[in-house]
Structures are given as structure tokens and as C-alpha cells.
Amino acid sequence: MPRPITRAEAEVLELFHDSVFVRDMGGTIHFWNSASESLYGWPSQQAVGNDAVTMLKCEPAQNDEDPYTRLLADGQWQGELYRTTGSGNRCLVNARWSLRRDAAGNPIGILETAHDISSTKETEQRLKESEYRYRNLFQAMAASFWELDFTGVGVRLKALLESGVTDLESYFLEHPEVIREYLRNTRIVDLNDHSVRLFGRGDREEMLGSVDRYWPDASLQTYARCVVKSLAKQPNNIEVTRLKTIDGRELECLFTACFSKENIAKGIILIGIIDLSEQVAARHALEVMQTELAHVARISSLGEMSASIAHEINQPLAAISTYAEAGLRWLLRPEPDLKEVEIALRRIVDDAQRTDDVIKRIRSMALRRPAEEVEVALNDVIRESLQFTRHELTRNAVEPVLNLAPTLPMVRADRVLLQQVIVNLLMNAAQAMASANSPTRELTLQSRQLRNGTIEVHVIDSGPGIAPEHLEKLFESFFTTKPTGMGMGLPICRSIIEGIGGTICLANREDGRTGARITLTFPGLPASTQAV
Ligand code: ADP
């Protein structure tokens, strides 16, 4: 039985913010201050006389040796304990025990002071978890992360601003050597494993240090923009740029620099880099494939038009032979009529020129070559495409109607590909009208410029139009309603038109007549106009 707490002692212990209670060696509580009441939720009347271990469901938080053994050996113990409060909540306390002894030195009781550390522990735990998460992200992501120390640049930048430079952007454009110097003084202090794989040779240590060696000249302004944006208190700078690996290979990458206030204050910038080289290679392969496909489609449409082509060439050839015979006859007369010979020869030259034009057109369509974007006059392309398909249209009794804008800005496109689009649309329209046996076969070609500068081209036919259930599928590869169709014409048209920033849309006419209406839009070049 511990010596009872004196009144004076009790008054002092009441002043404590920590819980203080005294129990005997059997566990029975003899003193319980009001801080214990607030911490554990048991009022003093209930606590005193009760068994502390049962009431508080005491459990050590750490797995070290039994607190009682240590207490008996040393006379005191300190550690963390889980307790359960009167309302059933578990709390974690940091407790100090001191052993009270009688005059003969026998242990008679324990005085405990304790305070609640549940919330501190929880915060600590959360911090640990979030640190773990970020470390995990930093290490495990398939992106490269660098932590850069730019304190070496801070001093130089301060001096630069103090020297009166205000327009940093222009200054950096004029002084790339200053950016180089800044790069030399920006250091990688940490990076993740992916960075070592992407930029290094497997040795992390080798990669630390100046970032200078990772920066090709072409990307100097990326660094300059980071400086400008961080000074303007912008949160980040994101752009596609090029960086170099440690052994000099250049990578195209998505580069993100983050300027959080806390990091900037510490002289630190975080950088994330995603390698785009594979995507760039894949995009290139796709472009090559699209060019191939467009070429195959052109050849196939030339095949469809072979009768027309033969006709276009045969006609001037026949004329040439007729004029040559006539010329000969005029020449072989007893009195040669040189005037008539001249007329015949000139006609021969004209027709030879016509044949040559047709062959050139076919050659340009048939040739396999990479796309080449130049300034193109759309009205000219429309007229050329009509010439190309003229015989095909006549054969199918289709009447072309031209309604072209008197002036149009030029567009940037590959001439042959654009011709391919229009030819394809004209052939589709002619085939639709012919196969539906449309009584009137009108094919209108319109061009105009909208107020916002966009150029619109319409191809309108008087065929059967498109069945509603097909509207959604027209641009799907291999969708066709023709017995010998390939179903690649429209998807190729779309990829060509979208490739130059335009759009293509196929719908039914809305002017009360049946037929299809194709709308192409093109962004016009601002300062270039083509007169009709
Ligand atoms: P294909 O000509 O080989 O069928 P396309 O991709 O050029 O391939 O056309 C796909 C389908 O779109 C055609 O089979 C046809 O059903 C429809 N289509 C295209 N143009 C027209 C049109 N002017 N009128 C009606 N249907 C059309």
C-alpha cells in the first residue's frame, strides 16, 4: 500500500497538464488527477479503487522487455502504451513510471505521468507513408525524374537583374553562352532508376553533377524559359524538347519543370522527362504506311479509270495521225500548199502536248513519293481533278457544274494528294448516281471562303444519298457497299485532309433533293490569295 498522497502534493499534481496517477503494486489506483480524467475519460471517483490494468486495457506499444521488470530493476521506466478510454477509444500515450518504495526499500506503488501522442504518431505515420509513396513514384515510374540544385545560378541571376536587365527572354536569346554557363552551374542532386536507364550507362553516380552535358544547343531556350517562368512565379514549364544521353544520343522528350514555392526557396527544381522517341518512331512508321496506302489507292483508282485514260490518250493520238496524213497530202501535191501543212503541223504539236499533259498527270498520280507540302490553289486542284475524271463523268452521263469562289487564299498541302481526294469524291459521286440509275446526274463543285478565313469545298451529287445506318461507318476502313469496292477511299481522304489541318464530312443533302453532300474545310494561308 503506497503512502497516501498528501493534500499539498495533490494540489501540485492537479496543476499538471499531464495525466498523473498512483497505483499500488497490485494495480489498484489510489490517486487520479483531473488531467487523467480528461485523457482517459474516467472520473476520479470511478478510477480510484479500480484496477488500472483492467480499466485502461493497458498494452505496451513496443515489443521490448516487460516494463515491470525494467521498473523493478531501475526504479523507473519510460515508453509508449496503448490504453482504452472510458468511451472505448484507443489512445497512444507516452508514459513515465517511477517506483515508490517503503522505508525498508520494498516496492509499494507506481507513480505514472503520461500524455497523449496518438495524433503526433498518426501525423508521423502519414508523413512516412507519403514519403514512401513519393519515393515509390520517384523510383517506380516509367518516367525520368531529376532533382536539380540551382543555387549556383541564383547568385548569377541576381547579379544579372541588378545590372538592369529587365527583358530576360530577349537577353537569353541574344546570349546563349549565359544559358550554357547557368547549365554548368545547375547540378543534378538526385535522380531515379529510370533516368539512369534512359540517360546513363548504368552508373547512377556518374550521372550526378552538372546538367550541362545533357543539354544540346537546340534546347538552350527550354532552360531559359524555365528561368523566366520560375521568376514570373508560374508553377511549371512543360514543352517537347530534346535532351542528350551521357553518350551523346539525342532524345525527343516531354519535359516538365516544377517550380513549387518551397523547393524554389531551397534552390531546388524538380524535373520530369518522358522519352517520346518511340512515339516519334511509331508516328513516322504510321506516316510511311499512310503514304503507301494512299499510293496503293491512287493506283487502284487509276485502274478504275483505265478506260478513260486510254480514251484520253487515244483521242489526240488518232488526231495526230489524221493531221500528219493531211499534212503529207498537202505537201505531196504537185504544188504543195505550205500554209495547210503548217496548220496540220501546229495541230499535231497541240495534240502531242495534250497527250503529254495526260501522261504527266497519270505519272504524278502513279509515282510513289513522300508527301510534299507547298502552297496550292484549291480552285486549280478542283479543275485538274475534273479534267482527270472528265471522261469517266461523261461515260456515266454526269454533268459537272462548277461554282468556284472568284478569289481564295492558298492552302498548304501536297498537290497530288489533294487531287487524289477530289478525284475520289468525284468518282464516288459518279458511281453512286450511275449505280442508282439516277435520272438527273448533276455533280456540283463549290468553293468559298467563310468569314473566319476557313475555306469550304462542297461536292454535291444528285444520287441516292447515304442510308442512315451507313452514315456512321463511311470513314471506317474497308467499309464499302460496292461489289468490287475496297472501302479505303474515304478513310484515306480523311487522313489526307486532317493531315493538313482540315476536316471532311459526308451527309445527305438538306435542300429538299436527294443526294450526298461532302464538305471539306481547309485553313487558308493568311497572306496569299488566288484569283480565279
Ligand atoms: P469504296 O468506294 O471502295 O466503297 P469509299 O471509302 O470511297 O470506298 O466509300 C465507302 C462507301 O461510302 C461507299 O461504298 C458508298 O457506300 C458510300 N459513299 C461514298 N460516297 C458516296 C456518295 N457520293 N453517295 C452515296 N454513297 C457514297
Side-chain angles (χ1 to χ4, degrees), residues 430-448:
Q431 285 165 357
M433 292 190 278
S435 63
N437 256 332
S438 303
T440 46
R441 301 187 187 172
E442 233 176 59
L443 181 53
T444 309
L445 282 147
Q446 283 175 356
S447 68
R448 61 176 181 153

Side-chain angles (χ1 to χ4, degrees), residues 424 428-429 431-432 461 464-466 474 479-482 485-491 506 516 518:
N424 209 309
N428 271 352
Q431 285 165 357
D461 65 50
I466 298 136
L474 296 176
F479 172 78
T480 181
T481 55
K482 300 170 194 168
M486 193 164 63
M488 281 310 291
L490 289 175
L506 218 159
I518 296 121

Side-chain angles (χ1 to χ4, degrees), residues 250-451:
E250 276 195 21
L251 303 176
E252 174 138 11
C253 47
L254 180 68
F255 170 95
T256 308
C258 301
F259 321 119
S260 82
K261 242 201 284 171
E262 299 75 20
N263 280 340
I264 290 283
K266 285 189 268 177
I268 280 175
I269 293 181
L270 285 182
I271 284 188
I273 301 158
I274 294 175
D275 177 21
L276 297 179
S277 311
E278 275 177 22
Q279 279 97 319
V280 172
R283 204 166 55 212
H284 180 70
L286 192 68
E287 275 165 14
V288 171
M289 236 163 72
Q290 275 174 339
T291 312
E292 282 289 305
L293 206 57
H295 178 246
V296 170
R298 282 204 301 276
I299 300 285
S300 111
S301 65
L302 282 176
E304 279 176 51
M305 290 191 292
S306 57
S308 305
I309 293 168
H311 176 86
E312 278 205 73
I313 295 174
N314 281 338
Q315 228 188 10
L317 279 183
I320 286 172
S321 128
T322 312
Y323 292 131
E325 280 166 15
L328 269 179
R329 277 199 306 277
W330 289 114
L331 196 65
L332 296 176
R333 280 185 164 205
E335 251 181 69
D337 188 335
L338 291 183
K339 188 70 206 157
E340 288 295 339
V341 174
E342 188 195 333
I343 293 173
L345 285 178
R346 285 196 190 286
R347 288 190 174 145
I348 289 173
V349 171
D350 286 351
D351 275 320
Q353 186 60 51
R354 257 176 69 196
T355 323
D356 192 44
D357 287 348
V358 175
I359 290 172
K360 270 201 192 119
R361 257 188 356 242
I362 294 161
R363 263 175 64 83
S364 72
M365 274 282 208
L367 227 58
R368 180 204 305 264
R369 55 167 192 73
E372 184 193 3
E373 287 193 3
V374 290
E375 285 192 14
V376 178
L378 262 180
N379 284 344
D380 288 353
V381 174
I382 294 174
R383 286 197 204 90
E384 288 159 8
S385 310
L386 256 182
Q387 254 185 329
F388 224 117
T389 47
R390 196 183 46 188
H391 187 260
E392 201 62 23
L393 299 183
T394 316
R395 200 170 64 88
N396 286 305
V398 174
E399 182 105 13
V401 180
L402 271 186
N403 186 357
L404 305 181
T407 58
L408 272 187
M410 307 289 263
V411 296
R412 240 195 121 63
D414 181 287
R415 191 180 199 93
V416 172
L417 289 181
L418 219 48
Q419 258 179 27
Q420 181 178 353
V421 171
I422 309 279
V423 165
N424 209 309
L425 300 179
L426 298 180
M427 295 284 286
N428 271 352
Q431 285 165 357
M433 292 190 278
S435 63
N437 256 332
S438 303
T440 46
R441 301 187 187 172
E442 233 176 59
L443 181 53
T444 309
L445 282 147
Q446 283 175 356
S447 68
R448 61 176 181 153
Q449 185 175 19
L450 305 181
R451 273 174 193 282

